[in-house]
Each structure stands twice: as structure tokens, then as C-alpha cells.
Amino acid sequence: MPSETLEGIVLRVANYREHDRMLTLLTPDKGRVDLLSRGCRRPKSCLMSASESFVQGEFVAYRNQDRYTLSSCSIIESFYSLRLDAYRMTCGAYMLQLSQAAAHPEQEAEALYELLTACLHRLCDNTDENPLMIVNGFVLLFAADNGYRPRLNHCVHCQKEISPKQGAMFDIIEGGICCRGCAKGALMRLSASQLQWMRDTLKNGLDVPAVKEDKTLFEVLRRYVESRLEATIKSSKFLP
């Protein structure tokens, strides 16, 4: 059987039989890929270090019909420092689980792969940066990449333009902000700084200065994205 080299990030590991693991990768070209890592749980296995969550590498695997079996891996980045900080590791785990929920087999995921890689590096390298704001940036750009970019300039009901100076109410169901006249039901409040941060991040990317109200912003973004995925991400119960 010919081998394939898959660049990817390990999103999930699951012990299988006595010494094996099933790995779920996010790859830029093939989206989500499941592969078997045989014998990786043996003490002297050369696959042990590659068969862990967060590992980014070039995975050489043999394909038999729809199943991949790992033969070797050249590790690009292990993101080891995440394992030394429980909260940052939880933030990273949330991003991995969100990526797993959105990625599909045999569907290109280059934008998601690049976003996840960039945010994991920020979690590891930018120790002075608020980790929850890194997650907030990931979730917002994740939503835009997956086709449900929130509408943040006009009321989702009456289309009235809304200035960010006074903030706004966010309608999870409609996927955007609404004016005071249309604000009804169980809506979530966005402060002026939160709304401006969201607009700036969608326009300029991850380097927008953080806001102080990181926890309430995470709750808005989490509920919005998980409602679109129709899934509850388990690690969110440990955040913010």
C-alpha cells in the first residue's frame, strides 16, 4: 500500500485496544482525518510523542480503503508549554473541540487550519496576553470562516445602522445586533468596547487590543457558535 504524508494537528486521541490509539487530525487539504496509531502506548514506541493532542506534524500513513494507519511522524510543534498551564490548556482544548465539530472528511480546511495554528502559537508564546481573549478571537474568526459571520453594523430586524458607541443587544437566533426598538426576548448585551472589538477583529484579525469584559464576550460568542453547530463543546464548562 502506498503511503501518504499528511500535515495536521491532533484534535483528539482515544485509547483503542491494549496499546493503540485512534487519532483525529485537522489537515489543510483533507479536513478531518482519522487514523490508527498502532502500539503507540507501548513504553518504547516511536509513535508515542506524536499520538498526543495538540501535536502538529507531518504524519506518514498507509491508507486501506477509508482507514489510515500511522507509520511515522515528523513533529513540527508539540505546543508543550500548554501542558504546564491548566487554564491555557483548557483554552486550547476548546479550540480543538470546536475545530473537530466543524471539520469534515475530504473537505479542504486550510483557513481553519491556519487559524487554529496561529491561535495555539499565541497561547504558547504570548504569555502576557489574556488567553480567553485569544479564544474569543478564534471563535469570532471561526464563525466568519464557517459561513455565519455575525452582523454587527445594522439591526438584524429593521436594518437600522447602529453606532458602537453605546453598545447593542445581540440576538443569538438572528445572528447579529439589534436596536433598542427591536430588542425583545432573551438577548445578550454587548458593551461599546466589546462591539467595537468584534468589528475590528473581523476586519483586522487577531492583533486587535483586548477588552476587559472578556468573560461576558466569551459567553456571547460561545452560545452563538455552538447554536450554529448544534453542538455543546464539553470543555466550555471549564471556561471562562
Side-chain angles (χ1 to χ4, degrees):
M1 292 180 289
S3 63
E4 295 183 38
T5 299
L6 306 169
E7 181 179 335
I9 296 174
V10 180
L11 301 179
R12 179 178 179 269
V13 300
N15 290 340
Y16 178 67
R17 295 178 176 170
E18 187 174 357
H19 299 292
D20 307 338
R21 274 183 177 167
M22 292 299 299
L23 311 181
T24 300
L25 302 183
L26 176 67
T27 71
D29 300 324
K30 295 180 178 292
R32 193 180 74 229
V33 174
D34 296 320
L35 73 163
L36 175 63
S37 181
R38 291 188 184 277
C40 66
R41 295 162 61 201
R42 297 181 186 275
K44 297 183 180 181
S45 172
C46 62
L47 299 178
M48 181 185 296
S49 59
S51 303
E52 299 284 351
S53 295
F54 297 108
V55 170
Q56 180 185 30
E58 293 182 342
F59 297 81
V60 179
Y62 293 94
R63 185 172 185 174
N64 184 9
Q65 296 181 350
D66 293 331
R67 167 173 281 189
Y68 286 93
T69 300
L70 182 64
S71 61
S72 65
C73 177
S74 176
I75 295 177
I76 298 172
E77 178 60 69
S78 66
F79 298 106
Y80 177 76
S81 63
L82 291 181
R83 295 167 174 79
L84 305 179
D85 186 314
Y87 187 73
R88 285 181 179 266
M89 186 171 71
T90 302
C91 288
Y94 183 79
M95 295 192 293
L96 295 188
Q97 291 169 17
L98 208 57
S99 299
Q100 182 182 348
H104 299 282
E106 301 298 335
Q107 291 188 13
E108 178 271 335
E110 184 174 359
L112 176 57
Y113 181 79
E114 291 179 355
L115 176 63
L116 178 60
T117 301
C119 289
L120 289 177
H121 274 292
R122 293 179 81 98
L123 277 178
C124 281
D125 302 336
N126 298 10
T127 55
D128 293 334
E129 188 172 0
N130 181 349
L132 190 60
M133 284 305 299
I134 298 174
V135 177
N136 287 338
F138 174 84
V139 177
L140 180 57
L141 296 174
F142 170 93
D145 177 58
N146 280 277
Y148 34 91
R149 180 189 183 102
R151 290 172 285 176
L152 302 175
N153 295 306
H154 298 81
C155 175
V156 293
H157 298 283
C158 70
Q159 306 307 313
K160 177 182 177 182
E161 186 174 358
I162 298 177
S163 169
K165 293 182 179 180
Q166 294 182 339
M169 301 302 293
F170 191 85
D171 190 322
I172 297 290
I173 296 175
E174 296 297 328
I177 58 175
C178 58
C179 64
R180 291 182 179 179
C182 298
K184 297 178 182 179
L187 307 180
M188 303 188 73
R189 177 75 183 173
L190 287 173
S191 70
S193 59
Q194 289 173 331
L195 179 55
Q196 189 62 59
W197 177 88
M198 291 176 71
R199 289 183 177 183
D200 290 343
T201 299
L202 287 174
K203 181 179 179 180
N204 301 315
L206 295 168
D207 292 323
V208 175
V211 295
K212 293 181 179 180
E213 310 101 320
D214 56 338
K215 295 180 181 180
T216 54
L217 180 58
F218 172 76
E219 192 62 19
V220 172
L221 292 169
R222 180 193 70 80
R223 290 189 185 186
Y224 174 59
V225 167
E226 292 184 11
S227 72
R228 292 304 188 268
L229 290 173
E230 297 183 344
T232 298
I233 307 302
K234 293 181 180 179
S235 59
S236 67
K237 66 182 179 180
F238 302 110
L239 297 172

